[in-house]
Amino acid sequence: MESGESNSGNARRIISKDSSWCSQFRNASNPWMARYAYALIFLVANLLAWAARDYGRGALTEMKRLKGCNGGKDCLDAEGVLRVSLGCFIFYIIMFLSTARTSKLNNVRDTWHSGWWSVKIALWVVTTVIPFLLPSEFIQIYGEVAHFGAGVFLLIQLISIISFITWLNECCESEKYPASCQIHVMLFATTAYVVCLVGIILMYIWYAPKPSCLLNIFFITWTLVLLQLMTSVSLHPKVDAGILTPGLMGLYVVFLCWCAIRSEPAGENCIRKSDSANKTDWLSIISFVVGILAIVIATFSTGIDSKCFQFRKDDTPPAEDDVPYGYGFFHFVFATGAMYFAMLLIGWNTHRPMRKWTIDVGWTSTWVRIVNEWLAVCVYLWILIAPIIWNSRHTDST
């Protein structure tokens, strides 16, 4: 029995090494290739949700035949987005439940994760159609739950980004090439701080042109204060975390502040927009496409970063037949990402219509971004301070 499983595993590794990507994908031998298939399904779900929101009225005649659509009007706009999102969520939750705690390559759950694509595509189609048969009241309940799920996704993404920044700093401070690493650290840190300051200056020029723009001035000024706070804490002698991590975190919080202000409604006088701002132009379309791709890429990159959520570090080298990433965590991130893209497409408001080719626009979206920025700084500072507090309490107790 054991020799049979060993031969099966060896044969599978031979396929992975010698076969093309297409044959590996067909033979369910490459979980790395499977990631891209799941990301493609997620991208198609995003596009379906956008189509239901912006162009769903063209399908009004067909939707009248569906029970839960109430003559078609409940399957359009924000509710249409929520129905597509629910179908995507159900699909990835099923995948999460069926692949969680998979640890080895040569078992049934690994094969299910990496193969059986005809069955999974049929499953995705079914889970996409089912929400359109549900009553409107159920979809509204899902819309409220999706606020929470999207928040969970943002928290997971935040921890993943901070973990990556910390890992990058540790790599740059490695003792293998100390001289060259110090030069790289100073170069990257200087570049990060210059970009942060330029970004803040441009936000003052573009989004706070008048003294009456108090809210935008507060957002931008507080971002500058947070950047200074992160730098001061990181360079404190007791912390000594270097200058690179606060610079990279500064890029992230400045980006979040910019996204928050950009999410303000188009009619605000403090945001400089062209006279054609109320019309759909090529810049709006490009921004929308970039936004959709950013959602998919963020979900994809966060989904394979399960190691940053391990509370206990395991220095044991992985075995040859260990899975390359956590399958269950990967699908869970995509499930919460389905809720997240729904919130972006409806502006975190299930009762307000959105203009065509827009994404993440509205005051709710603005405050979600701002709170996310402040939370990012709090989590980063806690990561810096927590070891000192822990060590001091441990010393006092002994």
Side-chain angles (χ1 to χ4, degrees):
M1 181 73 176
E2 291 180 359
S3 62
E5 290 181 357
S6 177
N7 292 335
S8 172
N10 292 333
R12 183 167 178 178
R13 281 191 287 274
I14 291 172
I15 290 174
S16 298
K17 290 180 180 179
D18 299 337
S19 301
S20 65
W21 281 15
C22 183
S23 62
Q24 291 177 32
F25 182 77
R26 186 174 59 252
N27 293 321
S29 61
N30 194 335
W32 290 109
M33 286 293 296
R35 301 175 309 156
Y36 297 100
Y38 290 116
L40 180 61
I41 292 174
F42 189 75
L43 174 61
V44 172
N46 276 259
L47 296 177
L48 285 176
W50 157 71
R53 188 196 70 176
D54 287 2
Y55 297 98
R57 298 199 177 276
L60 182 62
T61 305
E62 295 299 322
M63 286 184 177
K64 286 180 179 178
R65 303 176 185 177
L66 300 176
K67 289 183 178 180
C69 287
N70 192 14
K73 66 185 182 67
D74 286 342
C75 290
L76 305 172
D77 299 329
E79 204 160 301
V81 173
L82 291 175
R83 290 178 186 271
V84 175
S85 169
L86 177 57
C88 186
F89 171 78
I90 293 173
F91 172 77
Y92 284 107
I93 278 294
I94 292 173
M95 293 304 304
F96 163 72
L97 295 175
S98 59
T99 60
R101 305 185 71 84
T102 304
S103 58
K104 299 297 180 182
L105 288 174
N106 303 316
N107 62 28
V108 176
R109 288 185 295 176
D110 169 56
T111 305
W112 167 243
H113 170 80
S114 304
W116 292 85
W117 289 106
S118 57
V119 176
K120 283 188 288 193
I121 290 174
L123 174 64
W124 174 68
V125 171
V126 171
T127 56
T128 301
V129 171
I130 286 176
F132 286 91
L133 304 176
L134 299 177
S136 177
E137 293 76 14
F138 185 86
I139 301 302
Q140 290 298 324
I141 294 173
Y142 170 75
E144 299 302 321
V145 176
H147 286 84
F148 173 77
V152 172
F153 174 82
L154 286 175
L155 182 60
I156 294 173
Q157 185 186 49
L158 170 61
I159 296 174
S160 178
I161 290 173
I162 294 177
S163 175
F164 171 75
I165 291 174
T166 305
W167 170 83
L168 185 62
N169 183 62
E170 291 175 354
C171 290
C172 291
E173 293 183 349
S174 63
E175 298 179 357
K176 194 172 182 180
Y177 306 104
S180 60
C181 282
Q182 287 297 324
I183 296 175
H184 292 156
V185 167
M186 291 304 300
L187 179 62
F188 291 151
T190 302
T191 303
Y193 278 104
V194 169
V195 173
C196 287
L197 293 177
V198 170
I200 289 173
I201 292 171
L202 290 177
M203 283 193 291
Y204 274 121
I205 295 173
W206 292 339
Y207 305 130
K210 299 179 292 185
S212 59
C213 301
L214 295 178
L215 186 60
N216 287 355
I217 292 174
F218 167 71
F219 287 159
I220 301 168
T221 305
W222 188 244
T223 299
L224 182 61
V225 171
L226 293 177
L227 176 61
Q228 176 62 42
L229 177 63
M230 289 188 296
T231 305
S232 300
V233 173
S234 181
L235 295 178
H236 192 277
K238 290 186 177 180
V239 178
D240 194 22
I243 196 172
L244 180 60
T245 53
L248 296 177
M249 278 299 299
L251 288 175
Y252 183 54
V253 299
V254 169
F255 171 74
L256 289 176
C257 181
W258 175 79
C259 289
I261 297 176
R262 287 281 299 174
S263 295
E264 293 178 5
E268 298 302 312
N269 296 326
C270 293
I271 299 181
R272 292 187 174 182
K273 296 183 182 287
S274 63
D275 294 336
S276 60
N278 292 325
K279 300 179 182 179
T280 300
D281 55 10
W282 65 269
L283 186 59
S284 299
I285 295 174
I286 292 175
S287 299
F288 177 83
V289 172
V290 170
I292 290 290
L293 292 177
I295 297 171
V296 177
I297 293 171
T299 308
F300 178 85
S301 59
T302 304
I304 61 175
D305 193 20
S306 58
K307 290 185 178 179
C308 69
F309 293 88
Q310 293 178 350
F311 296 100
R312 295 181 181 178
K313 286 190 176 181
D314 187 5
D315 297 328
T316 305
E320 286 189 8
D321 60 346
D322 284 349
V323 294
Y325 54 92
Y327 297 164
F329 179 81
F330 177 82
H331 292 296
F332 178 77
V333 170
F334 271 85
T336 56
M339 295 180 170
Y340 178 64
F341 81 65
M343 292 298 102
L344 294 187
L345 286 173
I346 66 175
W348 297 81
N349 190 336
T350 57
H351 303 290
R352 188 178 65 85
M354 294 277 286
R355 195 166 59 91
K356 283 186 177 182
W357 297 102
T358 58
I359 188 169
D360 201 23
V361 175
W363 281 114
T364 307
S365 299
T366 297
W367 282 106
V368 167
R369 293 289 187 181
I370 289 296
V371 172
N372 190 23
E373 175 194 346
W374 298 346
L375 181 61
V377 175
C378 292
V379 172
Y380 173 73
L381 293 177
W382 173 250
I383 290 175
L384 295 180
I385 298 173
I388 300 174
I389 298 175
W390 177 260
N391 290 335
S392 63
R393 287 185 177 182
H394 182 70
T395 303
D396 294 340
S397 61
T398 55

